């Protein structure tokens, strides 16, 4: 019975035993730390090179950015954040696009033979990009060598800066062409409207000419007829001298009917002259529109779908940084904690065995 009581352990007894064996705990911490150091020292280290870019955007100009809406296949962006986030997403996708990755790898291979064995997919795998909004974007490259980590991230940054800003120049040209297209299309629309108006006026004046031919040629016209005839000319007039001269020469209320017929013929001649010129002007404008549309599409492709409202610049006050992803202190701490836990575990096993 006494033997059984001696084998009954209390928490106080366990703590007393642990304090008496403190040197084993210290030894476990030391051995665990040394093992952690060894694991860190003899396993390949990965290094992460990082560099920052500044990305800005004027989202308030989104409603006027017609090309971006076409590329996005959205007639309008309901919220400015939608426009901004779509553009940020586009920029990120472009940074990892095949062309950008191939350009980066080509430059790296020209710089260092270390990169000769890399494929575009392998290079893409070591690169990463983090951002929350417009502002600072963080570019990262993770490899087994500090020098090469910096080489990769700096070369990638340079390719992004050069290629994106070239694309943004094309985006600005897209906006310029878009403005010229708008003016040409507006002019074509105005000419087509005027062609229709003049054609309608000519028909009405022909009707009046035929009608007046049946009147007494030496008689006069009533005010309502005079007003209607003059109104057609006033509706069709433009700012040219010929039209002003005709309006000023409109027959007076005492003028005989034959004078109105002569005046209508002058108006019809002027209308016919302008109607003969309009098809040629429309053809010239249509040729310009076709040419501009081709340029618009070509420049749009070269712009990579980016808005001219984006700004991408280096952060001059920020230098590239390198970080060891296998810090020796962390490995030693983890090793020491594991050693301590194992010591406590074996101590509990020993106590359990002793009480059995």
């Amino acid at each position: 019975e006494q033997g059984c009581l001696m084998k009954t352990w209390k928490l106080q007894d366990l703590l007393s035993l642990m304090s008496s064996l403190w040197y084993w705990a210290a030894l476990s911490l030391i051995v665990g730390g040394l093992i952690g150091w060894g694991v860190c020292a003899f396993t390949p280290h990965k290094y992460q090179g990082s560099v920052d870019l500044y990305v800005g955007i004027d989202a308030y100009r989104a409603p006027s950015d017609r090309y971006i809406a076409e590329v996005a296949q959205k007639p309008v962006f309901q919220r400015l954040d939608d426009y901004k986030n779509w553009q940020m997403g586009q920029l990120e996708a472009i940074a990892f696009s095949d062309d950008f990755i191939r350009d980066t790898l080509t430059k790296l291979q020209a710089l260092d033979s270390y990169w000769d064995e890399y494929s575009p997919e392998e290079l893409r795998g070591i690169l990463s990009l983090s951002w929350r909004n417009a502002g600072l974007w963080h570019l990262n490259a993770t490899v087994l060598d500090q020098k090469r980590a910096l080489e990769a991230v700096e070369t990638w940054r340079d390719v992004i800066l050069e290629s994106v800003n070239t694309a943004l120049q094309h985006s600005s040209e897209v906006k310029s062409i878009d403005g010229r297209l708008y003016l040409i299309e507006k002019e074509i629309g105005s000419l087509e409207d005027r062609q229709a108006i003049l054609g309608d006026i000519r028909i009405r004046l022909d009707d009046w000419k035929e009608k007046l031919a049946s009147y007494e040629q030496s008689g006069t016209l009533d005010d309502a007829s005079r007003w209607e005839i003059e109104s057609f000319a006033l509706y069709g007039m433009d700012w040219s001298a010929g039209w002003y001269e005709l309006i000023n020469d409109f027959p007076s209320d005492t003028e005989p009917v034959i004078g109105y017929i002569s005046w209508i013929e002058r108006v019809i001649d002027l209308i016919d002259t302008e109607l003969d010129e309009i098809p040629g002007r429309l053809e010239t404008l249509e040729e310009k529109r076709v040419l501009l549309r081709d340029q618009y599409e070509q420049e749009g492709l070269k712009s990579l779908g980016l808005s001219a409202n984006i700004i991408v610049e280096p952060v001059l006050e920020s230098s590239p940084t390198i970080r060891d992803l296998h810090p020796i202190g962390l490995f030693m701490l983890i090793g020491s904690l594991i050693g301590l836990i194992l010591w406590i575990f074996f101590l509990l096993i020993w106590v359990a065995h002793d009480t059995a």
Side-chain angles (χ1 to χ4, degrees):
E1 181 180 355
Q2 288 182 353
C4 291
L5 290 174
M6 289 181 64
K7 290 182 180 180
T8 301
W9 284 83
K10 299 179 181 178
L11 178 60
Q12 183 178 359
D13 298 331
L14 180 61
L15 293 175
S16 176
L17 178 62
M18 290 177 68
S19 64
S20 66
L21 297 176
W22 63 269
Y23 48 89
W24 285 106
L27 182 61
S28 298
L29 288 170
I30 294 171
V31 172
L34 290 174
I35 292 174
W37 175 85
V39 170
C40 182
F42 293 101
T43 56
H45 284 221
K46 284 191 174 182
Y47 296 92
Q48 185 179 78
S50 301
V51 68
D52 292 338
L53 280 180
Y54 170 75
V55 177
I57 187 169
D58 181 5
Y60 291 95
R61 294 176 61 183
S64 64
D65 208 341
R66 296 199 301 169
Y67 179 76
I68 299 305
E70 291 175 11
V71 173
Q73 297 182 345
K74 298 177 180 179
V76 292
F77 290 90
Q78 298 297 331
R79 299 170 59 246
L80 293 180
D81 275 348
D82 293 340
Y83 177 83
K84 171 185 65 68
N85 292 335
W86 189 82
Q87 282 289 277
M88 299 292 100
Q90 281 289 98
L91 186 57
E92 180 179 18
I94 288 169
F96 286 101
S97 67
D98 291 343
D99 288 343
F100 277 47
I101 295 298
R102 280 196 296 266
D103 288 349
T104 302
L105 183 58
T106 299
K107 290 180 181 295
L108 283 171
Q109 290 172 343
L111 182 68
D112 190 335
S113 59
Y114 171 85
W115 301 101
D116 289 347
E117 301 301 319
Y118 268 75
S119 68
E121 283 304 316
E122 289 171 330
L123 178 61
R124 185 183 281 111
I126 71 170
L127 301 175
S128 62
L129 174 61
S130 58
W131 60 277
R132 286 174 176 258
N133 209 324
L136 286 183
W137 283 34
H138 310 291
L139 310 181
N140 307 302
T142 304
V143 290
L144 300 176
D145 183 275
Q146 296 187 45
K147 175 187 174 185
R148 275 53 183 261
L150 289 176
E151 280 181 358
V153 76
E154 289 182 299
T155 303
W156 189 35
R157 174 202 59 192
D158 294 344
V159 168
I160 291 173
L161 282 171
E162 179 182 354
S163 300
V164 167
N165 281 295
T166 298
L168 292 178
Q169 291 175 8
H170 292 290
S171 295
S172 296
E173 186 62 23
V174 167
K175 292 186 74 70
S176 173
I177 294 172
D178 184 64
R180 283 179 277 164
L181 265 174
Y182 172 76
L183 293 176
I184 286 178
E185 289 169 353
K186 185 177 179 181
E187 188 174 354
I188 288 174
S190 297
L191 274 176
E192 290 174 342
D193 290 343
R194 181 155 181 79
Q195 189 177 41
I197 289 170
L198 290 177
D200 184 61
I201 291 172
R202 194 190 189 290
I203 292 172
R204 301 300 181 89
L205 289 176
D206 268 336
D207 291 341
W208 263 108
K209 181 182 174 183
E210 185 177 344
K211 187 177 181 180
L212 290 175
S214 65
Y215 284 12
E216 175 61 43
Q217 299 300 296
S218 60
T220 58
L221 285 180
D222 59 273
D223 289 340
S225 297
R226 293 182 69 253
W227 176 85
E228 185 176 343
I229 293 171
E230 186 180 25
S231 67
F232 289 131
L234 289 171
Y235 184 53
M237 75 174 292
D238 61 13
W239 297 100
S240 66
W243 280 98
Y244 274 103
E245 184 179 352
L246 275 173
I247 297 302
N248 291 330
D249 290 346
F250 185 69
S252 65
D253 54 358
T254 60
E255 189 84 18
V257 170
I258 192 170
Y260 289 93
I261 294 176
S262 175
W263 184 84
I264 288 174
E265 288 175 344
R266 289 174 60 195
V267 176
I268 289 175
D269 287 342
L270 189 60
I271 288 175
D272 286 343
T273 299
E274 189 169 350
L275 286 175
D276 288 342
E277 294 174 352
I278 286 177
R281 293 168 62 186
L282 285 173
E283 184 179 354
T284 300
L285 288 171
E286 184 60 32
E287 289 173 356
K288 290 182 179 179
R289 178 163 67 174
V290 170
L291 180 61
L292 282 175
R293 280 192 175 277
D294 289 342
Q295 293 176 2
Y296 184 87
E297 293 300 325
Q298 292 169 11
E299 293 296 324
L301 291 173
K302 294 176 182 178
S303 75
L304 305 178
L306 293 175
S307 166
N309 305 330
I310 288 183
I311 301 170
V312 180
E313 297 176 343
V315 182
L316 299 178
E317 62 273 15
S318 175
S319 300
T321 59
I322 191 73
R323 183 164 66 96
D324 186 351
L325 299 182
H326 286 67
I328 192 167
L330 179 62
F331 272 74
M332 292 182 68
L333 176 62
I334 293 173
S336 296
L337 290 175
I338 292 174
L340 180 62
I341 291 170
L342 288 174
W343 174 74
I344 295 173
F345 178 73
F346 284 117
L347 183 64
L348 291 174
I349 292 176
W350 182 78
V351 169
H353 178 74
D354 189 55
T355 57

